[in-house]
Amino acid sequence: MTTTMPEFEDQELLRYSRQILLPEWDLEAQYRLKQSKVVLIGVGGLGTVSAQLLARAGVGELVLVDADTVDDSNLQRQVLFEPEDIGAPKAMVAAQKLQHTTPWLKVTARLERVDQASLQEIVQDCTLVLDGTDNFATRDLINRVCHAQGIPLISAAAIGMVGQLSYFPPEGPCYRCLFGESGIDDRSCAANGVLASTPQIMATLQAHHALLALGLNLSPLAGKLLLWDGMTGEQRLIRFSHDPDCVICGDTLGSPL
Ligand SMILES: [Zn+2]
């Protein structure tokens, strides 16, 4: 292997010792994780869990993007928040908590609602984007910007007692290939409800696949949609392929005529 040997403080080596012990996860995987910058869009039921796992696992840099403030109704499932945080900006509270647990983590809070211009700037030099938002328009925008900038995207969704997850490589197949122009289920937790465990499960899977991608260059969910059903315990994988007519990553754009 030609990777430069990592420089870890003793405390980091101790912190990650159970991970480095794994036959599948060595010091070089830990180093790749430390070199990674992950942008999380949405610091709610999904984002609080995935951010916490990635920070604890040893991701070098996190950017947390959310314009909302903490509400009492969030505390049922958004694990980084406590009653004393009510009214404070979610991204800021989350960044402070993560920084406390992992002092060497570089973490930035962006208290803003993303649009195309801001998203292009936020994700421009990152390694991976995690989508934890709850509406199709934002998910579609994140997909477009990630594809245009060549950044992989892991998108998770949780509602009620069901969830879904997929990994979208920059070259596709992308979110639009999978869901089309009109999108899918656009219900929000605020309007339709969510069991506390659902976002935790989906965000844990999202963080797991982020670790696989960042540490091991593995993306077993590329071209597959994972569906989790909390009522039956069933988990299914649905394969999908590149849509040649996709306006984001399809052959009709970008290829010479
Ligand atoms: Zn596409």
Side-chain angles (χ1 to χ4, degrees), residues 172-174 176-178 222-224 238-244 246 249:
C174 78
R176 185 72 79 91
C177 290
L178 179 58
K224 291 176 201 157
I238 296 174
R239 286 174 194 278
F240 64 97
S241 52
H242 203 260
D243 175 1
C246 175
C249 74

Side-chain angles (χ1 to χ4, degrees), residues 1-256:
M1 299 293 283
T2 55
T3 312
T4 310
M5 278 312 285
E7 293 170 20
F8 287 112
E9 302 293 333
D10 288 348
Q11 193 186 355
E12 289 177 85
L13 289 173
L14 177 62
R15 179 76 59 92
Y16 307 127
S17 57
R18 300 302 187 274
Q19 241 163 236
I20 296 165
L21 264 178
L22 286 168
E24 301 87 354
W25 186 280
D26 55 13
L27 210 50
E28 289 184 4
Q30 194 65 44
Y31 184 58
R32 284 192 287 273
L33 199 58
K34 187 181 167 80
Q35 296 296 101
S36 302
K37 175 179 177 180
V38 179
V39 174
L40 290 101
I41 322 238
V43 189
L46 293 162
T48 50
V49 175
S50 49
Q52 182 162 233
L53 281 169
L54 293 184
R56 286 176 186 266
V59 167
E61 184 171 356
L62 290 178
V63 179
L64 310 178
V65 188
D66 201 305
D68 287 343
T69 54
V70 179
D71 183 82
D72 201 323
S73 65
N74 302 144
L75 303 189
Q76 164 241 19
R77 65 197 178 284
Q78 300 185 14
V79 295
L80 284 173
F81 307 137
E82 303 298 334
E84 57 269 28
D85 301 320
I86 291 170
K90 287 183 174 182
M92 194 189 73
V93 174
Q96 287 167 349
K97 302 270 172 79
L98 301 180
Q99 191 75 83
H100 174 71
T101 311
T102 310
W104 51 85
L105 169 72
K106 187 173 178 197
V107 57
T108 311
R110 303 280 301 242
L111 316 181
E112 57 195 281
R113 238 168 262 293
V114 290
D115 57 22
Q116 183 154 342
S118 67
L119 199 54
Q120 282 170 339
E121 181 261 315
I122 290 168
V123 306
Q124 62 182 340
D125 59 346
C126 79
T127 324
L128 176 69
V129 171
L130 300 194
D131 184 350
T133 62
D134 65 357
N135 68 85
F136 176 75
T138 309
R139 290 173 177 276
D140 194 52
L141 171 65
I142 293 168
N143 177 58
R144 258 186 286 142
V145 170
C146 284
H147 171 72
Q149 302 213 16
I151 298 165
L153 165 67
I154 304 181
S155 188
I159 190 86
M161 289 190 233
V162 295
Q164 56 190 34
L165 180 72
S166 190
Y167 175 98
F168 302 108
E171 68 277 11
C174 78
Y175 186 82
R176 185 72 79 91
C177 290
L178 179 58
F179 293 116
E181 206 173 334
S182 54
I184 44 141
D185 197 346
D186 207 11
R187 296 174 298 163
S188 71
C189 294
N192 296 278
V194 61
L195 197 67
S197 44
T198 307
Q200 297 242 0
I201 287 162
M202 298 318 297
T204 301
L205 286 168
Q206 186 183 34
H208 172 75
H209 284 276
L211 293 178
L212 290 187
L214 298 170
L216 303 174
N217 295 317
L218 293 175
S219 51
L221 288 186
K224 291 176 201 157
L225 176 67
L226 185 154
L227 296 172
W228 180 82
D229 184 333
M231 285 298 280
T232 63
E234 261 186 83
Q235 191 170 297
R236 287 190 299 146
L237 279 179
I238 296 174
R239 286 174 194 278
F240 64 97
S241 52
H242 203 260
D243 175 1
D245 296 325
C246 175
V247 295
I248 310 296
C249 74
D251 298 337
T252 49
L253 275 188
S255 56

